[in-house]
Amino acid sequence: MPIVGVLALQGAFHAHVKALSQLNVEVREVRLPHDLDGVDGVVLPGGESTTMSQLLLSSGVFDVLTQRIADGLPTMGTCAGLILLAERVLDARPDQVSCSVLDVTVRRNGYGRQINSFETDIAVTGLETPFTAVFIRAPIIEEVGGGVEILAVHNGVPVAVASQNVLAASFHPELTSDVRFHELFLHMISSASTVR
Amino acid sequence: MTSTSSNSGSMRVNRGLAEMLKGGVIMDVVTPGQAKIAEDAGACAVMALERVPADIRRDGGVARMSDVEMIEGIQASVSIPVMAKVRIGHFVEAQILQSLGVDFIDESEVLTPADEAHHIDKFNFTVPFVCGATNLGEALRRISEGACMIRSKGEAGTGNIVEAVRHLRSIIGDIRRITQADSAELFDWAKKLQAPLPLVQEVAELGWLPVPMFCAGGIATPADAALAMQLGAEAVFVGSGIFKSDDPAPRARAIVEATTHFRDASILAKVSRGLGAPMTGIAMDEINQRYAERGW
């Protein structure tokens, strides 16, 4: 059974743990570097990217995590998790870190404050029927690099993307009871282990 | 690829923001400068208010929603969510905060109540609300009015965690008992708690509130924050505890670390070093006004 780590420094990690627990995986909360030992995939949840950035550095998780992802660890990032993966982040704090493993440009809070948060049904490549996407003070994807596939678009803007080992969304698949987006991630994990 | 119509201010969108704040620290601030210090220290949100509870307690008088320009100044100075307080029942203060684009409204007993019978009908708003509670019945009444997050009331401005512990234990203890009740007993629970039966049934099924529950009221040290988390709170509010201490920035930082690593005593010991003096604090028998008694 694959082991999936969920970064649990701050944010919506419980919701991801709950979603993954319904699937056939062992779930582990990650707060310290050794929590990443032996994981087959890792989830970076939504929350405050500035807070998570600081806690990634103080806990020592940042260097280990960045190296593991660069070495091919399957990784899913949602909302703030997307920001922590992006190569280029606009409107970030100057001291904010990113693992810089996904060739996209994102703008923090690009969809605005909470009064502009919304949910809507979108089509996602690989899912047969629409998926309810919940956007909360979401980052907006402004540019997508060559090696990155766009999986979903809302109002002409990419909202879910994937590279070889990174799956990311500006919305929150963990906030609905629909686990199909998490299943896409588990497919990524199982294909990665087949390649190995 | 197509998309259908969007839905702002839905329960899922608003409870979702509360979900995003879990494991974090929401800090009371009264100036843009303090908001900056809070964000620098790793706060996941700030609560904009005119005076911290310790000063409200000291100065007396009527405590109201903060000055609009002050809230705008705080919104302009940070990129994390900004919350602000309104008086219990004062729905016009809430309308004003919503028009300012505040991210979360706290209908708070720390301010002087505007209505001694009614809380705000929070379903009339797009913006999410958090409300305080001292027990499960109060928590469920606030949820039935549309609150998207519950926090313990504790006793604000005292730097004394005892009341927050009492409220968390009461709420979580009753949730545990309800989980064990049979379906017939739930009717009696609803009566005892003075709460809507469907919410009582939902709690019995979930084993938890249908919204996140945070701790507020009296947190002054990293150990206090970790205590609240170990008791079952999902995040913490720190009011006077930071900016009424000797050295706010390192204390704020340490409380953020303690809230994340709340079960790791060696990290708690490490972050508790060299913080200077916490706020002095007040024992419960020294105060004449209990804010926790406000709310109905």
Side-chain angles (χ1 to χ4, degrees), chain B residues 109 131-133 150-154 164 167-168 171 213-217:
Chain B
E109 71 284 357
C131 289
I150 293 298
R151 55 169 176 75
S152 64
K153 285 182 177 171
H167 302 159
L168 289 174
I171 295 168
M213 184 174 65
F214 293 4
C215 177

Side-chain angles (χ1 to χ4, degrees), chain A residues 9-11 31 47-48 51 54-55 58 93 108-109 113-114 117-121 132 136-137 154 172 175, chain B residues 4 6-8 10 12-14 16 20-22 39-44 79 81 101 103 253 257 260-261:
Chain A
L9 297 172
Q10 192 273 320
R31 291 187 176 83
E48 269 310 309
T51 304
Q54 288 198 14
L55 290 161
S58 62
R93 283 172 55 90
R108 267 186 79 214
N109 302 336
R113 299 182 190 279
Q114 180 63 9
S117 295
F118 62 97
E119 58 178 78
T120 188
D121 289 347
T132 302
I136 296 176
R137 288 175 49 95
H154 175 61
H172 291 281
L175 291 184
Chain B
T4 59
S6 297
N7 188 0
S8 289
S10 72
R12 186 153 51 194
V13 166
N14 280 342
M20 297 309 134
L21 300 171
K22 281 186 178 176
E39 186 182 55
D40 288 347
C44 67
S79 60
D103 293 293
R253 187 81 202 246
E257 294 285 338
T260 292
H261 301 285

Side-chain angles (χ1 to χ4, degrees), chain A:
Chain A
M1 194 186 285
I3 304 172
V4 179
V6 178
L7 190 68
L9 297 172
Q10 192 273 320
F13 53 89
H14 280 296
H16 277 290
V17 169
K18 205 173 146 197
L20 288 165
S21 301
Q22 297 170 50
L23 305 167
N24 201 24
V25 294
E26 185 185 325
V27 189
R28 186 193 293 166
E29 293 184 3
V30 174
R31 291 187 176 83
L32 291 170
H34 68 77
D35 295 327
L36 287 167
D37 293 350
V39 300
D40 300 292
V42 68
V43 175
L44 278 48
E48 269 310 309
S49 60
T50 57
T51 304
M52 282 194 256
S53 164
Q54 288 198 14
L55 290 161
L56 277 168
L57 291 173
S58 62
S59 63
V61 169
F62 180 70
D63 289 339
V64 181
L65 178 66
T66 304
Q67 190 58 53
R68 287 289 308 272
I69 302 173
D71 291 344
L73 180 71
T75 304
M76 174 162 86
T78 59
C79 195
L82 161 66
I83 297 172
L84 293 172
L85 295 168
E87 285 188 12
R88 293 166 301 278
V89 183
L90 306 175
D91 293 344
R93 283 172 55 90
D95 59 354
Q96 191 170 342
V97 294
S98 163
C99 300
S100 201
V101 289
L102 183 65
D103 186 5
V104 295
T105 303
V106 298
R107 186 178 295 279
R108 267 186 79 214
N109 302 336
Y111 286 92
R113 299 182 190 279
Q114 180 63 9
I115 44 172
N116 307 115
S117 295
F118 62 97
E119 58 178 78
T120 188
D121 289 347
I122 57 168
V124 178
T125 305
L127 303 184
E128 285 181 5
T129 55
F131 189 88
T132 302
V134 184
F135 292 82
I136 296 176
R137 288 175 49 95
I140 197 159
I141 299 176
E142 295 199 347
E143 281 172 1
V144 177
V148 176
E149 184 191 355
I150 296 172
L151 300 181
V153 172
H154 175 61
N155 286 347
V157 176
V159 293
V161 294
S163 69
Q164 180 111 39
N165 65 318
V166 177
L167 174 65
S170 47
F171 57 88
H172 291 281
E174 76 281 11
L175 291 184
T176 65
S177 51
D178 186 346
V179 294
R180 289 179 298 156
F181 201 85
H182 287 83
E183 284 174 336
L184 289 180
F185 180 50
L186 296 189
H187 289 312
M188 186 179 258
I189 292 177
S190 53
S191 8
S193 62
T194 319
V195 173
R196 235 183 281 149

Side-chain angles (χ1 to χ4, degrees), chain B residues 10-295:
Chain B
S10 72
M11 223 16 125
R12 186 153 51 194
V13 166
N14 280 342
R15 287 180 180 179
L17 179 58
E19 204 69 36
M20 297 309 134
L21 300 171
K22 281 186 178 176
V25 182
I26 300 150
M27 302 183 191
D28 276 6
V29 298
V30 299
T31 63
Q34 286 187 353
K36 232 19 229 170
I37 292 171
E39 186 182 55
D40 288 347
C44 67
V46 291
M47 174 75 72
L49 70 173
E50 213 152 37
R51 293 175 282 169
V52 293
D55 289 338
I56 296 174
R57 203 173 273 291
R58 192 196 58 207
D59 300 345
V62 174
R64 310 180 178 90
M65 177 189 84
S66 299
D67 178 71
V68 166
E69 282 178 17
M70 196 277 286
I71 294 170
E72 287 173 330
I74 288 172
Q75 286 177 311
S77 69
V78 295
S79 60
I80 57 179
V82 175
M83 302 185 171
K85 288 184 192 289
V86 299
R87 287 177 264 178
I88 289 173
H90 205 314
F91 50 86
V92 174
E93 285 185 345
Q95 291 163 3
I96 292 170
L97 289 185
Q98 174 165 285
S99 81
L100 294 178
V102 159
D103 293 293
F104 231 109
I105 294 177
D106 185 356
E107 186 182 17
S108 176
E109 71 284 357
V110 173
L111 306 186
T112 312
D115 189 323
E116 294 192 331
H118 309 94
H119 283 252
I120 296 171
D121 177 357
K122 294 164 270 286
F123 289 106
N124 284 337
F125 291 81
T126 310
V127 64
F129 280 75
V130 51
C131 289
T134 59
N135 57 54
L136 184 57
E138 208 176 354
L140 295 181
R141 287 196 293 280
R142 298 295 84 80
I143 294 167
S144 74
E145 297 155 0
C148 291
M149 181 204 293
I150 293 298
R151 55 169 176 75
S152 64
K153 285 182 177 171
E155 197 53 59
T158 62
N160 188 339
I161 195 72
V162 66
E163 294 301 309
V165 168
R166 187 194 319 281
H167 302 159
L168 289 174
R169 282 202 180 277
S170 170
I171 295 168
I172 296 167
D174 273 351
I175 291 175
R176 266 195 292 265
R177 282 182 275 276
I178 282 185
T179 315
Q180 300 302 312
D182 74 15
S183 57
E185 288 167 336
L186 293 180
F187 292 93
D188 189 45
W189 269 105
K191 217 163 30 182
K192 271 195 302 215
L193 293 173
Q194 299 181 298
L197 177 66
L199 273 177
V200 173
Q201 290 167 327
E202 194 177 353
V203 168
E205 191 174 318
L206 293 171
W208 197 241
L209 298 178
V211 303
M213 184 174 65
F214 293 4
C215 177
I219 292 175
T221 66
D224 289 345
L227 174 66
M229 295 294 287
Q230 286 198 28
L231 283 170
E234 297 177 289
V236 300
F237 286 83
V238 185
S240 319
I242 289 170
F243 290 101
K244 284 289 162 189
S245 72
D246 273 4
D247 197 357
R251 179 165 298 269
R253 187 81 202 246
I255 292 176
V256 168
E257 294 285 338
T259 304
T260 292
H261 301 285
F262 64 94
R263 281 201 193 90
D264 191 326
S266 65
I267 292 182
L268 296 176
K270 192 175 113 194
V271 304
S272 298
R273 289 197 186 100
L275 297 180
M279 70 179 285
T280 310
I282 320 173
M284 286 310 124
D285 50 14
E286 294 168 19
I287 61 176
N288 44 27
Q289 170 72 69
R290 292 221 177 191
Y291 296 152
E293 290 168 0
R294 296 167 168 175

